[in-house]
Amino acid sequence: MPKRAVILIGMLAGALWACGVLWVGRQIPVPIAMIQPVLMGAVFAPGLVLSMMIARLAQRRFFDDRSINGEPPQGAAAVDQAVLTNTVEQIILALCIWPLVGFFVGAGTVLALGLAFAVARLVFWVGYHLSPALRAFGFAASFYPTVFAALLVVWRLASTLGGA
């Protein structure tokens, strides 16, 4: 199958995943008074995955003579570095968006976003190592839920302001 077809299938599957994550999140009954602990808890699983990525890359650098001397990573270590960089970018995006998602869409949605993000990042990591085209689902499954949730916030804000 051509790479672009594999990537497109991964992107479409990631969009379906995003819709499922948001739907499941809306089913989790969390009182708004619990939003602060929920937000802290929602980033815990992504933080664990991030720590695994950092540790794996450090381990690869330690046992590679070129990397231990500060040269750019090669091979599997370069993949790990790319995954780590992209994961940090997406975590920062999530930290910018998820607090308002919790307030306008629901705290349960933020919990679902956090757990789904952690799973999707692991899938991204493994997929990238197997074949670069296979990273598409993991990327989309961690990126799209945050973007779709942001669109829900914008929609809720527009509805609130338009109805006022």
Side-chain angles (χ1 to χ4, degrees):
M1 183 177 292
K3 282 184 187 179
R4 284 185 177 82
V6 172
I7 292 169
L8 182 59
I9 291 168
M11 291 168 56
L12 293 172
L16 288 174
W17 169 273
C19 293
V21 167
L22 294 176
W23 183 83
V24 167
R26 296 286 292 145
Q27 311 310 310
I28 302 172
V30 179
I32 193 66
M34 296 296 294
I35 191 67
Q36 186 175 5
V38 165
L39 284 170
M40 290 185 295
V43 295
F44 185 73
L48 290 177
V49 172
L50 185 63
S51 67
M52 291 168 46
M53 292 173 178
I54 293 168
R56 181 64 172 139
L57 187 56
Q59 180 267 330
R60 286 192 194 277
R61 285 180 177 150
F62 182 79
F63 290 105
D64 181 71
D65 290 336
R66 288 179 290 168
S67 292
I68 204 164
N69 289 325
E71 292 180 31
Q74 304 286 320
V79 170
D80 288 341
Q81 180 66 62
V83 169
L84 176 61
T85 299
N86 184 259
T87 300
V88 168
E89 293 165 354
Q90 287 204 34
I91 286 176
I92 291 169
L93 177 66
L95 290 172
C96 292
I97 292 173
W98 290 0
L100 281 180
V101 170
F103 185 76
F104 284 101
V105 181
T109 301
V110 177
L111 281 177
L113 285 168
L115 292 173
F117 182 93
V119 170
R121 285 282 92 188
L122 290 171
V123 171
F124 176 72
W125 194 7
V126 170
Y128 206 151
H129 276 285
L130 293 175
S131 169
L134 292 179
R135 72 184 191 260
F137 171 74
F139 174 85
S142 55
F143 181 65
Y144 290 171
T146 298
V147 172
F148 290 4
L151 292 173
L152 280 174
V153 169
V154 170
W155 181 73
R156 291 271 167 99
L157 283 169
S159 298
T160 302
L161 295 175

